[in-house]
Amino acid sequence: MKVTFPHMGHMWICLSAMLEYLGVEVVVPPPSSKRTLTLGARHAPEFACLPLKLNLGNFMEASELGADTILMAGGCGPCRFGYYAQVEHAILEDLGYKYRLVVMEPPQKHVGELLSKIKYITGHSSWWEVVRGIRFGYQKARMVDELERQANYLRPREIHRGSTDKAFKRALQEIIAAKHPRDLPQAGERVRKIMAQVVIKPRPVLRVGIVGEIFTLLEPFANYDLERRLGYLGVETDRSIYLSEWINDHLFLGLVRGLRSRKEACQAAPPYLNHFVGGHGQETVGSTVMYAKQGYDGVIQLLPFTCMPEIVAHSVLPRLSTELGIPTLTITVDEQSGEAGLVTRLEAFIDLLARKKGVV
Amino acid sequence: MKGYLGIDVGSVSTNLVFMDENGKIREAIYLRTRGQPIFALQEGLRQLAERLPANTIVRGVGTTGSGRFLAGIIAGADVVKNEITSHAVAASTLVPGVQTILEIGGQDSKIIILRNGVVTDFAMNTVCAAGTGSFLDQQAARLNIPIEDFGELALKSTVPVRIAGRCAVFAESDMIHKQQMGYSLPDILAGLCEALVRNYLNNVGKGKEILPPVVFQGGVAANAGMRRAFEQALGLEVHVPPHYNVMGAVGAALLAREKMAGGGTSRFRGFGVAKTRFKAGGFECENCPNLCEVVEITREGEVIARWGDRCGRWSGSLGYQENAV
Ligand code: SF4
C-alpha cells in the first residue's frame, strides 16, 4: 500500500511524519503547480471549486509516482467539501485510475473514530503506537505553524529582500528531516538558530488579518503566495487558521488546551452572522470582528470561486466593515484568476491602509 | 521649466503628462498601445521631448497602469503605483472633496470610493467587456458612426430604447433587433448608454454608497451620452475633469512629486531612452511544473529586468524586485 493525500500548504509534512513513523509507505504528490491545476481542471466539473480541482491533480500526479491509496478528509454540509472525497474518487475511476479510498470523517463524538481509521491504514501498529504517531505528526504541525508565524513577522522587516524566505526554506528542511520524536528538540533548536540569522530593522508595518476558506488560506499555490507578497509590501500578516489549530478543532475536538479555537471566532460573529453556514463562513466573520477589535489595519478574505459559505460571509462584510471601521478586501480564486489583477488590487488595498494610517 | 513626468501604460492606451512644479499640466499625450507598450512609451517620450522647451528638467517620474513595472524600468521611475491609487490621487487633486470616482477605460472599469480624501473602498471589473470603451468603439463602428459623434447623437434622443445590457453579446444582438424594429439611431444609442450604466452600477458599483461630488473619468467620459445616463441613474451631477482621459498619468505625476518632496535625484533615464533599443522578451521556465512565463527586458542586448516567476529564481538573480520600486 502506497498512501497519498491532497496538498494543503505544509500539511504533507505533518501527515507524512505520522504515517512514516507508523511504517506506512507514503507518496507525497509533487507540490501543487500549474500542471496540477491543468490536470485537475480538465477533468473536474467546471463549477466545482478550486480545492477539488487541485486535489484531483494531486492524485493524478501522485499516481504517476506509484501511489495506490488515497487518504482524504470528509466533512458535513452545507459545504460541498464533504462529498469531494467520493466525487474525486469517482472521477479517478472513470479515468481508469485504480485507487483505494480511505475517508477520515471528522469525529462526531470522540477521537476513537479517527484512531480506528488510522489503525486501518497502518494495519499492524498497536493503539499505543498509533497515538504516538499522531502526536509526532501534530508536533511537526505545531513547529511548522510557529515557523510560518515567524516568517510573517520577519518578512516586512527584513533588510535583505528574500532573506526570510531563504531561511524559511532551510528551517523547514530541518523539521522535515526529523524522523523520530526524539529528534524534534534538536531540530527546533536548529530552526531557531537559522531564523535568528535574518537581519531586520524596526520600521512601521501594517498589520493585516487573513480570513476565509481553509484550503485557500493554507495553500500558497492557490492564493498566489499571498502572505509572501504582503510581506514584501511591508505588511505583517496573521492567518485566522493555522493547521495545528484546525487539527485540534476538527480532529482532536479541542483536546489540546491553550490554542486559539474556532469557538471564539464563532462567538464573535453575532450579530453579523448568528449561525453556522457551512465551511468556515462563520469563522470568517468572527475572525474579522476579532481582528478589528485587536486593532489590525485591514482584513483580506480569501475564497475559491463558488464557495457558498464564504459568499454568505462576504455579503456580511461590508456592514461589519463600516460599523467596526476596518477595511476589507475579498479575493476570489479559481483556475481563471490572473496574477496582474490580483497584484493591482492588493497594492491598492495596501495603499489604502497605509494612507489611512499615515505610514506612506 | 522643471516638473514631473507621469506615465500610464495600459493595454489600450499609453498616456504621458508633464506637470510643472505648481501642479499645472503642461503637456498631455494620448497614444494607442497597440500591443506594443515599449514602442508606445518611447514614441510618447519622443513627442513629449519635442513639445517641451529644451531646458526642461524632470525632477521625478511616476508610472502606473498594467504596464507600470515595464514602464518603470524603461523610463527609470521614482515611484511605481497601481492604477487605483493613481486615479484617486488625480481626481481628489483636480476635484477637491470628491467622494466617488467612476472610471471607465478601454478595457476595464472601476469604482473608487473616497471619504475625507482617503480611498475607503474600490472595485474593479476586468472580466467582461460590456460597458467599456472597446465595446462602445465596436458598436460605433458597426453602426457606421465616428466614435466622437456617439455621445452627441445619443443626447438627441427623447425616448431611449430599453436595451438588454448584462453582457456584450446580448447587448449587441438586442441592439440589432431594435434597429430592425425601426427605432431611431439616437434612441438606440441613448438606450445603449443607459444599459451600460445599469450594467456598471449593478456589477462594479454593487453595494457601494455613491455620494457626491461624483467624478467620471477614463476614455469613455468623453461620451456625453454616458455622462447623462449616469446623471439620470444616480440623480446626481457628474463632473468630467479636464484631463479625464489621462488621469492615471496625472496621478502618477502627482505621486512622483509627493515622493520627491523630500529631495533626492530622480532615477529618470532621460528623454534619450526613446532612442535606446529595449526589448521585452520572454520565455517559459521549464525548471518546474509551474512553467512560469518569465518576462525579460533587455537594453541594448543586456538583460536589465525579469519578472513573472513564482519562485524568485529569475527575478531574484538580477536584484530587481517588482515591488521594490
Ligand atoms: S520560475 Fe521558478 S516557479 Fe516558475 S517554472 Fe521556473 S522554477 Fe518553477
Side-chain angles (χ1 to χ4, degrees), chain A residues 7-9 31-34 36-37 49-55 58 213-227 229 301-305 331-339 342, chain B residues 290 310:
Chain A
H7 270 300
M8 184 166 77
S32 289
S33 69
K34 219 194 257 172
T36 319
L37 183 55
C49 60
L50 191 70
L52 183 138
K53 295 172 186 173
L54 278 171
N55 288 180
N58 288 150
E213 185 274 334
I214 181 159
F215 178 84
T216 32
L217 280 184
L218 262 53
E219 176 55 53
F221 177 78
N223 64 35
Y224 286 83
D225 286 308
L226 185 69
E227 289 173 352
R229 279 175 200 276
Q301 182 201 15
L302 269 171
L303 65 140
F305 184 55
I331 295 175
T332 314
V333 291
D334 72 352
E335 73 270 25
Q336 318 263 353
S337 19
E339 188 184 337
L342 174 81
Chain B
N290 275 328
R310 283 191 79 126

Side-chain angles (χ1 to χ4, degrees), chain B residues 283-294 308-314:
Chain B
F283 57 89
E284 195 172 75
C285 173
E286 286 175 358
N287 212 54
C288 89
N290 275 328
L291 305 176
C292 295
E293 281 154 38
V294 182
D309 49 344
R310 283 191 79 126
C311 66
R313 177 187 174 89
W314 301 101

Side-chain angles (χ1 to χ4, degrees), chain A residues 13-71:
Chain A
I13 296 175
C14 131
L15 265 178
S16 342
M18 174 187 91
L19 294 170
E20 278 169 358
Y21 176 81
L22 293 171
V24 179
E25 214 180 321
V26 172
V27 177
V28 179
S32 289
S33 69
K34 219 194 257 172
R35 177 169 186 261
T36 319
L37 183 55
T38 313
L39 280 175
R42 187 182 303 151
H43 300 290
E46 189 190 350
F47 283 101
C49 60
L50 191 70
L52 183 138
K53 295 172 186 173
L54 278 171
N55 288 180
L56 202 56
N58 288 150
F59 297 146
M60 293 165 85
E61 290 187 316
S63 150
E64 290 166 7
L65 302 177
D68 57 23
T69 304
I70 289 173
L71 182 62

Side-chain angles (χ1 to χ4, degrees), chain A residues 293-314:
Chain A
K293 297 208 165 131
Q294 288 161 19
Y296 272 73
D297 299 300
V299 167
I300 294 180
Q301 182 201 15
L302 269 171
L303 65 140
F305 184 55
T306 73
C307 169
M308 198 277 286
E310 294 299 325
I311 291 174
V312 175
H314 172 59

Side-chain angles (χ1 to χ4, degrees), chain A residues 160-173:
Chain A
H160 303 291
R161 170 64 49 91
S163 52
T164 304
D165 285 317
K166 276 207 195 93
F168 181 85
K169 258 190 209 155
R170 271 174 51 215
L172 207 54
Q173 287 310 321

